[in-house]
Amino acid sequence: YEAALAKVDGNVMKESAVSGSLSGLSIAIQQWVNALQFWWGGWLMYKYPDVFDFKSFLISMFALLFSLFALGAAAQGATDKKKAEAAAGRLFYLINRESANDPLDTEGKKLD
C-alpha cells in the first residue's frame, strides 16, 4: 500500500519547489516590468515636462494595467482547439437529437 502511494505521489518536495520557484519568478518579472514602466514614465516626465504630465502618465499606466488584467482573465478561459471542437460536437448532438418525450405527439400514454 505504501509503495503504491509513493509511486502515485512522486517527489512532492521537488514538485513543490519547482512550482514555488516558477510562481516567484513570474511575480518577480511582473514587478520588474512595473519598475521599468515607472522608471520610463519618470524619465519622460523629467526630460519632457511640457509634453508629459503626471496625470497622463497615470492614465496610461492604469489603462495598461486594467487591459492586462482583462487579458489574463480571458486567457484563463481559453482552451485547446480540439477540446472546444469536441465540446461543440457534443452540444450540437444534444440539440439535434430527437427527444423521447415529444409534447406535441398525440400517440402514447395519457394521464387520466
Side-chain angles (χ1 to χ4, degrees):
Y1 177 73
E2 289 179 8
L5 284 180
K7 184 189 283 187
V8 172
D9 284 343
N11 191 350
V12 177
M13 294 299 288
K14 180 181 177 185
E15 292 172 5
S16 298
V18 169
S19 177
S21 298
L22 290 176
S23 178
L25 179 65
S26 69
I27 292 171
I29 290 171
Q30 289 175 347
Q31 294 303 319
W32 277 103
V33 168
N34 281 339
L36 178 65
Q37 289 173 334
F38 277 103
W39 173 82
W40 179 250
W43 184 84
L44 286 175
M45 287 186 294
Y46 177 75
K47 191 76 169 170
Y48 306 103
D50 51 337
V51 179
F52 299 104
D53 62 342
F54 189 64
K55 181 180 178 184
S56 300
F57 169 70
L58 287 181
I59 289 172
S60 64
M61 287 291 290
F62 281 114
L64 180 65
L65 179 74
F66 289 127
S67 64
L68 290 177
F69 282 157
L71 185 63
Q76 285 180 343
T79 185
D80 187 24
K81 183 179 177 183
K82 296 281 185 193
K83 289 180 183 177
E85 288 175 352
R90 289 190 304 270
L91 183 66
F92 284 117
Y93 167 76
L94 289 173
I95 291 172
N96 293 330
R97 74 181 174 135
E98 190 168 330
S99 175
N101 299 327
D102 187 3
L104 302 177
D105 190 12
T106 57
E107 303 293 321
K109 296 180 181 179
K110 301 204 186 266
L111 296 174
D112 290 329

